[in-house]
Amino acid sequence: LRTVQRVGSSSMSVGRIFRASSISANYVKLFKFLRAHEKASNADLTELLQYNHSSQTSKFLRDAKFVERRGSGPSARWRLAEHHRR
């Protein structure tokens, strides 16, 4: 991805290439999955995101600002935060 920055009436090309993080792809996968299925267990999301341990999934989900957890323990479900639902 090359960026072009507009300065006044002229454009300036920036030659550095920025790669999208693999974490970004996981956020997109998570968002699309929850839009389609409304809610999911930690185990379902561990499989979707291809993490080796559920603790990795839990940390990722806690850091995601657009999801919320309902319940506790094995019966807990993750869903999109209210302002992101249809």
Side-chain angles (χ1 to χ4, degrees):
L1 174 66
R2 290 197 184 273
T3 59
V4 176
Q5 183 178 7
R6 202 142 178 72
V7 180
S9 61
S10 64
S11 294
M12 203 164 90
S13 179
V14 178
R16 185 169 175 194
I17 297 174
F18 295 94
R19 290 183 17 187
S21 165
S22 61
I23 297 296
S24 297
N26 279 352
Y27 284 120
V28 172
K29 271 198 268 187
L30 173 63
F31 188 84
K32 286 181 176 182
F33 184 87
L34 291 177
R35 285 285 281 205
H37 300 283
E38 293 186 24
K39 58 187 172 186
S41 69
N42 202 59
D44 293 336
L45 296 176
T46 297
E47 185 176 329
L48 172 75
L49 301 172
Q50 300 177 331
Y51 285 124
N52 294 323
H53 306 284
S54 62
S55 60
Q56 293 170 303
T57 306
S58 294
K59 181 182 180 336
F60 176 80
L61 293 169
R62 278 192 311 272
D63 292 344
K65 304 294 184 209
F66 59 92
V67 295
E68 61 187 20
R69 183 180 173 167
R70 295 287 178 168
S72 61
S75 64
R77 296 290 178 261
W78 292 90
R79 65 182 189 172
L80 292 175
E82 190 169 338
H83 60 280
H84 290 290
R85 286 185 243 142
R86 293 178 205 186

